[in-house]
Amino acid sequence: MISFFVNGKVVRTASDPATPLVWFIREELGLTGTKWGCGQGTCGCCTVMVDGGAERSCQMSLQDAASRRITTIEGIDEAHPVKVAWLRESVPECGYCQPGQIMNAIALLSLNPRPTEEEIVAAMDSNLCRCGTYNRIKRAILRASGKIK
Amino acid sequence: MKAAAEGRLSRRAFLKLLGSTGLLMSVSMDGVAAVFEPEGVKDSAGFSPNAWLLVGRDDKVTIYCSGCEIGQGVLTVLPAIVADELDADWKRVRVRQAPVSSEYEDPVWESQVTAGSASVHHFYMLLRRAGAQARRLLVLAAAKHWKVPEGECRTRMGWVIHLPSGKRMSYGELALMAQSQGTKGQLVLKKEDRFTLIGRELPRIDAGMKINGKARYGMDVIVKGMTYCVMKRPPAFGARPAGMDLSGTSGILGLEAVFRIGDKVAVVADSPFSALKGAEGIKVEWKGARDPCLDDRKIEGILNRALHVRGKVHTARGNMKEAERNSFLIHESSYFLPYLAHATMEPMNCTAFVEKDRCRIWAPSQNPSAVLKAAREETGLDPQHIDIETTFMGGSFGRRFEVDFVREAIKVSSRLKRPVKLFWTRSDDFTHDYYRPANAARIRAGVDRHGCITFYEHRVAAPSVYYRIERSLLDDGIDPSAVESIHNSAYSFPALHLEYVWLKELSPPLGFWRSVGNSHNCFTIESFMDELSYRIGMDPLEFRLRNLKEHPRAARVLKVAAEKAGWHKGPRRGRGMGICQHFLVYTYVAAVAEVSLDADSGRLKVHKVVCAVDCGRAVNPAIVRQQIEGGFLFGLSAALREKVSFVRGGAATTGFSDYPILTMSETPEIEVHIVESGNEPTGVGEVGTAPAAPAVANALFNGFGIRIRRLPMSPRVLTGLLRRRDI
């Protein structure tokens, strides 16, 4: 039995400990806001926060998640400044990568509340978006950090 | 009901937040609240004069959206057209995805399909009439009830108002009376200056759901009792399984079934992880590749040779011989473009549950009519026993026009008699795409002393996209997409010769890829126009304007893009500036790009892009800009880095690590200017994609003297060109 926290609640599972976290979150817990995009750790759609840091949940097994605190897009309040900034900048097109982008942005801002544009690009560069919303993502992060209003 | 409640909650939260942070002043609050209602919500009782809307007795207006939401904002834009003519209160509008039904077919294509940048263009008048019809009936019902002349009544935000008396009744109150009201007289549409929603930057109704992880994509469908399926797919096109070794799957918990299905092997398990492990563990022996020798070298050889072959003549007009004689200068160039993949962020998938007398499908598809057709063919059931839910989609770009993944899910569920979620791996997605075809072009043209084009000759060599998709559209062996936007280019060609060489020997499967033939023809034409302008010593903008005399709208977007980009001031030191224009999906677009290039590394940086677009009336200018911006980056990604590789008869490209797409660090600043022309609205979804490659290629020539004739413009290609330039 492996246990950990998801969005503040204790979760216990007897599933195969090698199961990637992304599948457990999505298919077992039904928290489908975390997306599966490549299973190769190359796109960032499945990004969640683990103990406050951004992690790709397709590259983390249940075993690795044991006793840790996982936060998914559903665990972020709708009034969170990053989500509000995303809405204000009208970021999403297809929207599939956005939960991963948002989780990565929140992790960045928790470490570095007022990042420069260069720091934003460095932190976000490996989260892919095929619709081309990158400039809006950048502006949303600047907005959430209070740098633009 | 659940989603409606959530919609209200999030709106409250949003208002509260805006209030508390003092942003209220800058955001117009009306128009924020139309919400999306997913399947399963019961219709309220009310008045429904046509398939597009229902006015509830509770004053809520439900509008059905025939378009599939693939990121382009169709769920916001199409319903706003209906709501405007209806004079509905946008805050009380509920948007629902239309079911698959002939009533919702595209009036031009006579099929329910979202493609070709056509949604607003094709549905604009039809949806206006639908809204206007309902409004008229509500007014007639009110006038009858009050016993007053119809002409004394007006509508506003969901109310009918009797002007002389000031009496008013809400649409909800009138719903039952309107239902029994007969029509008479002519339908009158609003004057454009009376629009309340069309032309406004209404926020997208899907934004909040997507930001909160609540939008349900195909991958997110969970059905009770569902099982998971991954397919083991042939490594070479056309190969089929000849033998299987399952010894590698022993000990995989939850593995339920492995069976051959056509040219694939289905692996079924109780979890996605077990299905993936099963597919990995199975060894399949494959036989019968269509072209075992297919690889990058073979493709390159075929493309190189193709331009020396005469093709089928699509257009031959004017006197070429005479035009040649009258030319002051004749120039010729050849261009080569690779196969491209769609690489949607959400891999292909579909959930199906086929029972004896019923079939349910949850399909992330931009082609609901084709989903229905596939379901009928695969199950033999009548349409009334087939339920299809079109889900949200993690990108499409033409890939989800195909229904191969839908057929797979139906087949597997039919066999298992259980609900099945079938999904593709990222590798499946790259190796079994329907690719944008590789192609080559040779262009030869002349100009007179004044820089006017005298003749234009264009040969396109490419395999045919339409041969598989719609053979009847092959016009005497000419693929219409391969030559599109050449014969109807905005340039004036006194003599034009257009040929198509059909490369039948290239076997990779082909499909529509955002902007289709424009994705290569805009690059080749606009690179060539740039070459011509430099050869004759004219400014590339002036040269184009001189040859666009018959198309003032094309000239205008060019001028706007040039002016906004500071074309006449030229690029900053150490940079190059390139310009181009194109006409596609009935829309005019121009782009200016400013780039720099590091000579040692070949690292290209696109600093800034300015686009100008004339798409007629912009129904939602914010969404138009978003589409042009995203479309351009899609084209830029392809221009800079994308190319599918092949080996031993199949695709060698298997993931984002060998098919790198554009990232944030490579994204230029993009400005989009909408040039209003008062025309009816036309396409935008594909418009930004086509000009990306030529704008950047032309900027490279302007700044660094290297001419790009082969895509993608990878650092290796660029350093090679720089070295040759130095000699």
Side-chain angles (χ1 to χ4, degrees), chain B residues 513-534:
Chain B
W513 187 95
R514 198 175 191 172
S515 85
V516 194
N518 294 289
S519 71
H520 45 92
N521 294 339
C522 178
F523 170 70
T524 57
I525 299 171
E526 284 303 295
S527 295
F528 186 81
M529 289 300 163
D530 217 59
E531 294 193 31
L532 266 184
S533 72
Y534 283 98

Side-chain angles (χ1 to χ4, degrees), chain B residues 416-490:
Chain B
L416 298 173
K417 303 188 172 49
R418 282 179 68 182
V420 173
K421 172 145 79 182
L422 178 138
F423 66 99
W424 291 35
T425 65
R426 180 52 65 187
S427 166
D428 290 342
D429 212 78
F430 273 111
T431 52
H432 292 273
D433 199 352
Y434 289 97
Y435 307 95
R436 196 291 300 270
N439 61 92
R442 169 179 293 174
I443 308 178
R444 189 169 163 271
V447 285
D448 66 16
R449 284 172 191 284
H450 310 291
C452 292
I453 296 166
T454 48
F455 74 92
Y456 183 88
E457 211 177 276
H458 193 138
R459 180 178 292 171
V460 180
S464 168
V465 174
Y466 275 96
Y467 181 68
R468 180 186 59 84
I469 294 175
E470 186 55 72
R471 212 159 295 182
S472 66
L473 292 178
L474 278 182
D475 179 14
D476 189 27
I478 297 172
D479 186 291
S481 70
V483 295
E484 70 182 328
S485 66
I486 301 173
H487 56 287
N488 56 345
S489 153

Side-chain angles (χ1 to χ4, degrees), chain B residues 124-143:
Chain B
Y124 184 65
M125 291 311 288
L126 193 153
L127 295 182
R128 286 183 65 190
R129 281 196 291 273
Q133 182 199 18
R135 180 167 52 96
R136 175 92 203 286
L137 292 170
L138 288 159
V139 169
L140 286 172

Side-chain angles (χ1 to χ4, degrees), chain A residues 16 20 23 26-27 35-37 78-79 83-84 88 90 92-95 125 130-132 134-136, chain B residues 10 17 27 210 212 214 217 219-220 228 277 342 421 426 626-627 629-630 642 662-665 667-668:
Chain A
D16 180 352
W23 291 124
R26 288 175 47 80
E27 310 294 327
K35 302 304 182 197
W36 186 76
E78 295 193 359
K83 282 189 171 177
V84 173
R88 289 272 305 181
S90 188
E93 288 195 29
C94 90
D125 208 36
R130 192 63 165 150
C131 299
Y134 296 125
N135 288 338
R136 289 164 192 259
Chain B
S10 66
L17 216 124
V27 180
K210 287 174 173 177
N212 289 304
K214 301 227 165 98
Y217 297 80
M219 275 303 280
D220 302 340
Y228 297 85
K277 275 200 300 187
H342 296 86
K421 172 145 79 182
R426 180 52 65 187
Q626 193 183 33
Q627 279 301 290
E629 186 181 313
E642 294 178 26
L662 196 82
T663 67
M664 188 183 278
S665 59
T667 300

